[in-house]
Amino acid sequence: MSHGGQWRQAQDDYGVFSRGLVDLSASISPYGPGPKARAEWPFLVNRLDRYPDPDYRELYEAVAVHYRIQAASVVLTAGATAAIDLVLQVINPRVVYVVEPAFSEYRLRATLWNIPVRRITETTGMTDPGLLFLANPVNPTGTLWHPSDLQQWITEALRHDVVPVIDEAFLEFVPDWRQRTLMQPDMHEVPYLILGSVTKFYGLAGLRVGFLVADPRRAKAFKNRLEPWSIAWPSARVAALALQDQTYFDAARDWIIAERTWLLGQLARRADIVGRPAANFILVNPSVDDFDAWLRRLAESGVLVRDARDFQAIRQPAARIAVKTRRDSQRLLAVWPVPPTNWR
Ligand SMILES: Cc1ncc(COP(=O)(O)O)c(C=O)c1O
C-alpha cells in the first residue's frame, strides 16, 4: 500500500463503512473548505453543463493573491500529484534524486517515465545532472527543514545541474509558513520549482487541485503541456472560494495545532514519536507486540491509521496518524489503551 485514505478498501477488508469511519490514514484537514465554499456548493450542481473557463482566471488569481506570487508563475494541475508528473514529463531528467523518507509518488511517477531513481541522504549524493524532490515539511515525519539546510540542498543541486523541486504540500499547517515558503513575489530567474496543493490544508482531497510555481518562462512551457479543462469546474470554483476565506483558515490552523499538541502528549504514552511533527500528522513506532494485529484491531473498530512500513529510512514498524478533531483522536485512543509500564 503506497497511500493512505483507502476507505473503500477498508469496507472490503474490515467491514467498516465510510459513515462510521475515522480516517486518520490520510492527512487531510477535517475542517473542510470554509463557509464561503460551503454556501455556494448546492448551487454548483445547476451549472454542471458548463465547461470550466479554459484559462481558470478566477483560480489563478486566487492562488496568486493568497500566495503573494504572480499568476504567470503558477501552473494549475489536478492535485500536486499531477504536477509531479508534469515536471517529469517536461524536464525529462536523466535521473531523479529522492531524499528518503519521502512521498511515494516521486519514485513511482519517475519509474513510470523510465527515469532512474537514486535514493540519497546527503547533498553529496547528487553527482549527475537530474532532478531532486524534497518536501518541506517531510512526509511521513512532518519534520521541517532548517532554512539554511534547505538552501544548501538547493545550492548543491544547482551546482550539479540538478533541478530542485520543493514540495510544500503541507507547509500551510505551519504557523510561520509565510516566512518559510520559497515562493517569491517575482519568480523570474528563480531556478527551483515549488509544488503546492489545496488538498491537505483546505480539506479538498476529493476535488483534486494543486499547482506548480516556477519562473514564468518555465511556467509557460509547463502550461503548454496541460490538457484543456484538466480541473473540473466545481473543483476550481470551490478551491478559489476556499483560498479567499483566510480568516476561517487561520482559525482552522490554530485548531489543528492545538489538537496536535494534545494528541502528541497522548501518543507519547503509547508509542515513540518519530521526527519532529510540524504538520497535521504524527509518525510513531507504537509500543505493541504485534503490529499487524494492532492495525487490524483499530480498523475493525472503525479507525484507520497509515501503515507506514513501506516508507524507507525510518525506524520500523511505523504508523502515521493524522491530526483531526478531538472526537476523532478520542476514537483512536479509546481502542488503543496505554500499555502497562513494564512493556518490554
Ligand atoms: C508530500 C506530498 N506531496 C504531494 C502530495 C499530493 O497531493 P495531492 O492530493 O494534491 O495530489 C502528497 C499526498 O499525500 C504528499 O504527501
Side-chain angles (χ1 to χ4, degrees):
M1 190 203 285
S2 54
H3 292 293
Q6 310 235 1
W7 53 271
R8 179 59 186 80
Q9 189 63 39
Q11 191 172 315
D12 291 351
D13 293 348
Y14 308 107
V16 286
F17 287 85
S18 63
R19 208 185 307 162
L21 189 73
V22 173
D23 186 0
L24 307 181
S25 71
S27 307
I28 309 297
S29 162
Y31 294 108
K36 281 190 183 166
R38 276 184 201 281
E40 179 137 336
W41 181 253
F43 303 103
L44 293 178
V45 73
N46 296 327
R47 285 184 263 163
L48 293 180
D49 57 336
R50 292 190 194 169
Y51 275 96
D53 166 15
D55 298 322
Y56 293 101
R57 271 164 273 220
E58 183 188 37
L59 184 53
Y60 271 106
E61 180 64 18
V63 170
V65 168
H66 174 56
Y67 295 99
R68 302 180 186 166
I69 51 183
Q70 294 166 320
S73 58
V74 180
V75 185
L76 291 173
T77 54
T81 305
I84 293 170
D85 208 60
L86 183 67
V87 164
L88 292 170
Q89 186 190 344
V90 172
I91 296 187
N92 191 19
R94 290 223 305 263
V95 56
V96 162
Y97 297 100
V98 178
V99 184
E100 308 261 25
F103 179 46
S104 58
E105 288 297 328
Y106 309 144
R107 177 180 286 278
L108 290 172
R109 304 313 304 173
T111 306
L112 282 172
W113 287 105
N114 287 323
I115 303 166
V117 178
R118 279 192 222 158
R119 174 186 157 193
I120 54 173
T121 49
E122 306 281 342
T123 55
T124 48
M126 292 180 285
T127 47
D128 298 303
L131 187 139
L132 166 73
F133 283 112
L134 204 72
N136 191 34
V138 173
N139 175 10
T141 60
T143 304
L144 281 165
W145 286 96
H146 190 280
S148 61
D149 291 342
L150 195 55
Q151 196 48 56
Q152 206 202 336
W153 274 97
I154 293 172
T155 307
E156 285 302 307
L158 296 172
R159 224 160 59 80
H160 290 92
D161 217 3
V162 172
V163 180
V165 182
I166 312 304
D167 185 341
E168 297 189 349
F170 287 102
L171 193 60
E172 278 187 83
F173 289 99
V174 179
D176 64 345
W177 72 275
R178 281 217 185 267
Q179 281 70 55
R180 291 179 181 270
T181 180
L182 294 183
M183 295 181 202
Q184 297 185 16
D186 184 351
M187 292 286 294
H188 280 98
E189 310 292 337
V190 172
Y192 51 77
L193 309 176
I194 300 163
L195 297 173
S197 175
V198 302
T199 291
K200 324 291 185 181
F201 185 62
Y202 296 91
L204 292 176
L207 292 189
R208 315 306 304 130
V209 180
F211 58 96
L212 186 65
V213 180
D215 177 309
R217 272 165 308 193
R218 253 189 180 157
K220 207 165 169 199
F222 287 122
K223 270 186 207 155
N224 288 340
R225 298 290 274 270
L226 293 174
E227 310 153 30
W229 314 299
S230 55
I231 301 174
W233 188 87
S235 300
R237 176 79 179 139
V238 169
L241 289 169
L243 287 167
Q244 291 160 3
D245 216 353
Q246 289 301 323
T247 312
Y248 175 77
F249 285 99
D250 285 344
R253 181 184 296 108
D254 289 347
W255 298 331
I256 291 170
I257 290 170
E259 186 57 23
R260 188 186 67 214
T261 306
W262 184 82
L263 183 59
L264 256 174
Q266 300 297 317
L267 293 181
R269 301 168 63 200
R270 295 163 168 86
D272 289 334
I273 310 294
V274 185
R276 290 183 304 283
N280 62 331
F281 49 88
I282 300 170
L283 188 71
V284 296
N285 295 130
S287 309
V288 292
D289 287 320
D290 185 339
F291 188 83
D292 281 310
W294 172 75
L295 279 181
R296 199 174 335 107
R297 198 175 62 246
L298 295 187
E300 284 169 357
S301 310
V303 179
L304 292 187
V305 299
R306 169 74 155 87
D307 178 353
R309 283 176 294 183
D310 57 333
F311 283 99
Q312 307 293 312
I314 50 173
R315 205 180 119 209
Q316 294 290 359
R320 195 191 61 203
I321 297 171
V323 178
K324 303 236 172 180
T325 64
R326 177 62 51 90
R327 184 195 281 235
D328 294 333
S329 302
Q330 275 166 339
R331 278 276 304 275
L332 166 74
L333 301 174
V335 287
W336 182 13
V338 177
T341 42
N342 62 351
W343 187 83
R344 292 256 170 101

